[in-house]
Amino acid sequence: MFHSDRQWKLWVMCVLVSFTFTGCGLLGGNSMDTNPLATATPTQVGDVLGSSPETETESPCKGLSGTLELEILVGPAEAVDLPPTSVGRIPFSVVEEGNTFLVEGEGSLDYYQEVLGEAWGTYTVSFEGDNSIYGVCELIGDDAILNLDWIMEGEQNVEVVSEGFQQNFPWSGTQYLTLSLPVEEGASMEGEGWVVILHLEQ
């Protein structure tokens, strides 16, 4: 069959090469079926690296900003049955530091208005004050709460003129308000002679 040793060696080499490639082909073809860790379903990258945790709900405190409106019952307003008068708004914002949401705000209130003019006379208020707001925004259950300290240094004068009689009621000093407000538009808190109303930026 073979005319020379060379032909014989050539035939043996072809058989060996053929066997080698055929064997590799079988091994490669059955690798998906015989490997118990493999699957015919395409593997997603997340499956290889491990499933990522569920996305946490973003805190309503994150990026929060708005203003706090201050209404005060100035001077002897109670005596003439006047409601609290708005003297302005102080802006605030929430800054995230680690796991804490800090509230910061500051601003001035300058106010002058003839609050009441009646047949008996006039009731006029002048007011100015520098304000600082500090605190935290916290989650309590499902609700976000602003726990704040409001520091106001100011001066106020109430002038009452009636039937030729004029009386001034000056005040100056520092006022401290401790506030706890739910993070809801229009939420309010009041104390003796003051009301604070929360306004959120949309």
Side-chain angles (χ1 to χ4, degrees):
M1 178 177 181
F2 299 102
H3 302 286
S4 66
D5 289 340
R6 185 177 179 182
Q7 288 180 329
W8 166 254
K9 291 178 181 179
L10 183 60
W11 180 82
V12 172
M13 186 178 295
C14 289
V15 171
L16 289 176
V17 171
S18 176
F19 177 80
T20 301
F21 281 100
T22 303
C24 290
L26 289 174
L27 182 59
N30 292 333
S31 61
M32 298 295 287
D33 299 324
T34 58
N35 186 345
L37 298 180
T39 173
T41 305
T43 303
Q44 301 297 323
V45 173
D47 294 332
V48 175
L49 301 179
S51 299
S52 59
E54 293 183 6
T55 303
E56 295 182 3
T57 303
E58 191 172 87
S59 171
C61 295
K62 188 179 182 67
L64 186 67
S65 62
T67 60
L68 291 171
E69 179 183 4
L70 177 63
E71 295 182 348
I72 57 176
L73 191 62
V74 288
E78 233 171 52
V80 291
D81 198 28
L82 284 177
T85 301
S86 177
V87 293
R89 298 184 179 191
I90 301 300
F92 72 88
S93 59
V94 174
V95 178
E96 186 176 358
E97 290 193 6
N99 295 324
T100 304
F101 294 94
L102 302 179
V103 181
E104 300 174 348
E106 61 181 8
S108 297
L109 297 174
D110 298 307
Y111 180 83
Y112 182 87
Q113 181 178 347
E114 188 174 272
V115 177
L116 184 65
E118 296 289 348
W120 56 263
T122 59
Y123 179 94
T124 307
V125 179
S126 60
F127 173 87
E128 62 180 0
D130 293 321
N131 302 263
S132 299
I133 298 169
Y134 305 97
V136 293
C137 182
E138 299 179 296
L139 282 179
I140 300 179
D142 295 329
D143 301 320
I145 305 293
L146 293 173
N147 291 316
L148 308 172
D149 291 320
W150 184 324
I151 304 171
M152 177 174 60
E153 298 179 4
E155 296 180 356
Q156 169 189 296
N157 185 64
V158 177
E159 181 184 82
V160 178
V161 178
S162 177
E163 299 178 353
F165 170 81
Q166 178 178 329
Q167 181 69 48
N168 290 303
F169 300 87
W171 171 87
S172 64
T174 303
Q175 291 279 6
Y176 300 90
L177 303 180
T178 300
L179 308 173
S180 184
L181 296 164
V183 179
E184 299 174 2
E185 173 62 32
S188 65
M189 186 174 178
E190 62 183 271
E192 186 176 351
W194 57 269
V195 179
V196 171
I197 304 171
L198 174 64
H199 300 283
L200 301 175
E201 290 188 358
Q202 302 299 323

